[in-house]
Amino acid sequence: FIDCTMGGGGYSQAILEYSGTKVLAIDRDPLTKSTAENLKKKFPNRFDFFLNKFSNLNEIINSDIQPRAIIFDLGLSSLQLLDQGRGFSFESKNSIAMQMGFNKYSAYDVINTLDKKKLAGIIKILGDEKDGKIIANKIAKYRSTKKISSSQELASIIKRVKEGKKKYKKNPATKTFQAIRIFVNKELTELIYGLIEATKILPAGGILMVISFHSLEDK
């Protein structure tokens, strides 16, 4: 089995509980290395780990490997969300990075330097946020006097735009945060390449399992 998004190791651990199974796990986030090391100790001959992006499956998987299934559990992991130093959480006071690993730029770079028209497009398209233009204008106005240095700061700017419009079950900054995170980590591009490589590797009768969390991933 190939677990393309190991995260906290939930899928890998569950598969390895069945005797005779082998798991090759991949994750782009350095934070997952300790989990991988623990699984390696517990299942020394049945588990391997690669710190890499799953779009590089062709570089990781030997041509002689015939996996029973390839699994993609998309989006943000609980490990990333709970790490306040990463900036994925609305409450992060010390960071606005939102980097999953192997990134060229951070959310800080995007929020503080990108042209407001491009920023509006990212928020509207990747976040399905109808107020993308208004939010981008507010961000541009705010950063003209002070750089936005934390996710909590960004969330408060968005909240001021959205408050009074309607009651939100989720945090009103959810869609904007999703858009910025997807852009920073090139998540849709990664998924396209990952799926292409997975279909090349899977033998006839192999299973491709993708767990998605929003309409962009579904499409």
Side-chain angles (χ1 to χ4, degrees), residues 3-214:
D3 183 358
C4 290
T5 46
M6 191 192 73
Y11 284 92
S12 292
Q13 172 89 28
I15 293 166
L16 289 164
E17 294 296 339
Y18 291 87
S19 61
T21 57
K22 292 183 179 181
V23 172
L24 190 155
I26 303 164
D27 206 291
R28 65 190 290 184
D29 195 331
L31 192 67
T32 60
K33 288 176 74 175
S34 60
T35 300
E37 286 167 6
N38 289 334
L39 284 174
K40 186 73 174 174
K41 289 176 185 175
K42 191 174 180 181
F43 305 98
N45 300 315
R46 298 198 284 126
F47 179 78
D48 281 308
F49 174 73
F50 292 88
L51 185 65
N52 209 324
K53 297 189 291 184
F54 57 60
S55 58
N56 295 325
L57 266 171
N58 63 319
E59 300 172 13
I60 300 166
I61 309 301
N62 295 328
S63 57
D64 59 337
I65 290 177
Q66 297 283 294
R68 178 75 182 94
I70 299 179
I71 305 160
F72 295 84
D73 185 9
L74 305 176
L76 195 62
S77 77
S78 56
L79 287 173
Q80 292 164 334
L81 189 61
L82 291 170
D83 186 349
Q84 292 293 305
R86 306 289 288 279
F88 290 109
S89 167
F90 306 120
E91 304 304 320
S92 294
K93 299 178 182 179
N94 304 318
S95 172
I96 188 169
M98 299 191 194
Q99 294 165 305
M100 292 179 173
F102 297 94
N103 298 84
K104 290 185 178 179
Y105 42 80
S106 69
Y108 177 90
D109 301 323
V110 173
I111 290 296
N112 287 298
T113 63
L114 209 60
D115 172 83
K116 67 180 180 180
K117 186 175 180 181
K118 291 179 181 177
L119 189 58
I122 290 167
I123 296 169
K124 184 177 181 181
I125 296 167
L126 298 182
D128 194 26
E129 172 57 80
K130 60 183 178 62
D131 293 320
K133 187 175 181 180
I134 301 171
I135 291 169
N137 286 339
K138 286 287 185 183
I139 289 170
K141 185 177 180 180
Y142 187 96
R143 74 189 186 191
S144 65
T145 56
K146 180 186 179 297
K147 295 286 187 184
I148 300 168
S149 58
S150 74
S151 292
Q152 190 180 66
E153 202 173 0
L154 176 62
S156 68
I157 295 167
I158 299 163
K159 188 177 180 180
R160 288 197 290 272
V161 172
K162 305 290 282 185
E163 64 186 358
K165 295 202 172 191
K166 69 172 187 178
K167 290 184 179 180
Y168 291 90
K169 292 181 180 178
K170 296 180 180 179
N171 190 301
T174 299
K175 290 184 175 182
T176 300
F177 269 59
Q178 173 188 299
I180 301 301
R181 192 201 79 218
I182 289 173
F183 184 78
V184 167
N185 295 289
K186 301 183 178 180
E187 290 178 45
L188 297 180
T189 307
E190 283 295 305
L191 178 56
I192 290 166
Y193 281 114
L195 291 174
I196 290 169
E197 295 304 327
T199 55
K200 291 177 184 176
I201 293 164
L202 272 174
I207 298 166
L208 177 61
M209 183 163 73
V210 184
I211 299 91
S212 64
F213 294 90
H214 54 77

